[in-house]
Amino acid sequence: MAEFQLAAESFAEAINLEPGGFHQYHNAANLLHFFVYDQQSGNKTALEISIAYYEKAIKLSDERASDISPGERIALLNDASLALQKVSMITDAMDLVQKVLEIDPKNLQARGNLALLLMRTGNLSQASIEAQVAIDQNPENVQLRHNYGNILHALGDAEAAKKQWQKAVEINPLCVPSWGSLGHDEGHRGNLTGAVQFYEKALSVASSDLSGIILGDESEDSLRLQIATAVIPMIYRSVRHIMEVRSKYKGNLE
């Protein structure tokens, strides 16, 4: 963590030397957002400061539009939108995503984020449309597939959701969230054995040292809890079955 602290201090010094420096604010915000916050189990202070830096960078990019390339502005708006989502500032996050799409209607990150934001606001039908547009642009994007499955599941189309999660792990077997979602789906269908198998697959991938693992919000502890939750009814069912058999034979013997 010492290297992050040093980097943060360096960016702060650069900001002091050049208060109007767009890149300094954007870089400092990203450091606090993606490294300090994401890698310190949610350091809220770091995230709040990063959002303030993003806001300053956005203001500077508005004031000096001719000096900022479209690509730089898109990157800033997408990064800031993600930070705002993490503090549930959904409307503000959506405004930034819409600005990105005004600049570049084919920006995949913004389109995918728009679908998720619409889902969070309850506009599932439009979320589904936006997710499908994004997947049409990049059918091999695993995260888009997984998120689209979540949206379809929220719409009540379990079969279509399952197909998206299956496609996600077919494209990339290291997509832990989709293995977990498949387990959750099997559990809802009453197939507890199948649910445990998918959860165990998710846990196996999550706890491996393979590179390129996609974790999402899943953790090893949460997966173990899901396995236990699925196994408990199976154990109860077995115990109940044993008791029923005992009762039956006892009655026959009498």
Side-chain angles (χ1 to χ4, degrees):
M1 194 53 225
E3 63 271 23
F4 294 138
Q5 182 64 35
L6 179 62
E9 290 173 358
S10 297
F11 281 126
E13 185 178 346
I15 288 171
N16 288 332
L17 291 172
E18 189 185 352
F22 159 82
H23 295 99
Q24 285 91 322
Y25 281 105
H26 188 189
N27 290 335
N30 279 352
L31 175 79
L32 292 166
H33 175 193
F34 296 114
F35 292 99
V36 178
Y37 175 79
D38 285 352
Q39 295 189 18
Q40 280 195 35
S41 302
N43 184 323
K44 291 185 178 180
T45 300
L47 188 60
E48 290 169 359
I49 296 172
S50 78
I51 289 172
Y53 282 164
Y54 282 132
E55 290 174 347
K56 181 65 176 178
I58 290 170
K59 182 181 179 181
L60 287 169
S61 70
D62 289 338
E63 295 172 352
R64 298 165 45 197
S66 60
D67 298 331
I68 311 298
S69 72
E72 288 175 322
R73 183 163 172 80
I74 285 172
L76 168 62
L77 294 174
N78 275 330
D79 292 340
S81 176
L82 287 175
L84 291 171
Q85 289 178 55
K86 291 172 183 175
V87 293
S88 298
M89 296 176 66
I90 305 304
T91 302
D92 292 334
M94 195 176 296
D95 287 343
L96 297 186
V97 166
Q98 295 284 15
K99 287 181 179 179
V100 172
L101 293 173
E102 288 172 8
I103 301 170
D104 178 13
K106 292 186 177 181
N107 187 274
L108 199 62
Q109 181 180 351
R111 187 70 62 184
N113 282 335
L114 177 59
L116 288 178
L117 290 165
L118 287 165
M119 179 183 177
R120 291 183 67 175
T121 62
N123 191 347
L124 297 175
S125 58
Q126 188 60 39
S128 177
I129 291 171
E130 298 294 345
Q132 185 62 66
V133 169
I135 287 175
D136 287 344
Q137 287 180 232
N138 189 348
E140 300 298 301
N141 188 300
V142 173
Q143 194 63 60
L144 288 175
R145 289 279 181 186
H146 175 74
N147 293 341
Y148 189 27
N150 290 346
I151 293 168
L152 291 169
H153 190 268
L155 279 166
D157 195 341
E159 287 300 324
K162 182 177 180 179
K163 288 179 182 178
Q164 292 300 324
W165 295 326
Q166 287 175 327
K167 184 64 177 178
V169 295
E170 177 186 320
I171 296 169
N172 186 352
L174 301 182
C175 184
V176 173
S178 289
W179 287 118
S181 293
L182 287 168
H184 186 71
D185 178 67
E186 289 299 317
H188 268 280
R189 295 169 188 266
N191 181 7
L192 298 179
T193 301
V196 170
Q197 289 174 343
F198 280 125
Y199 285 141
E200 287 181 339
K201 176 64 177 179
L203 180 59
S204 173
V205 174
S207 58
S208 72
D209 58 358
L210 298 170
S211 60
I213 294 174
I214 301 172
L215 279 175
D217 294 328
E218 301 285 1
S219 68
E220 292 180 36
D221 288 341
S222 69
L223 289 168
R224 288 191 178 92
L225 180 60
Q226 289 169 329
I227 292 172
T229 303
V231 167
I232 287 171
M234 296 166 67
I235 296 172
Y236 175 75
R237 186 182 298 166
S238 298
V239 172
R240 186 176 61 185
H241 179 65
I242 291 170
M243 293 176 68
E244 288 172 353
V245 170
R246 279 183 178 176
S247 176
K248 178 181 178 181
Y249 277 102
K250 183 179 180 182
N252 289 341
L253 288 171
E254 290 175 350

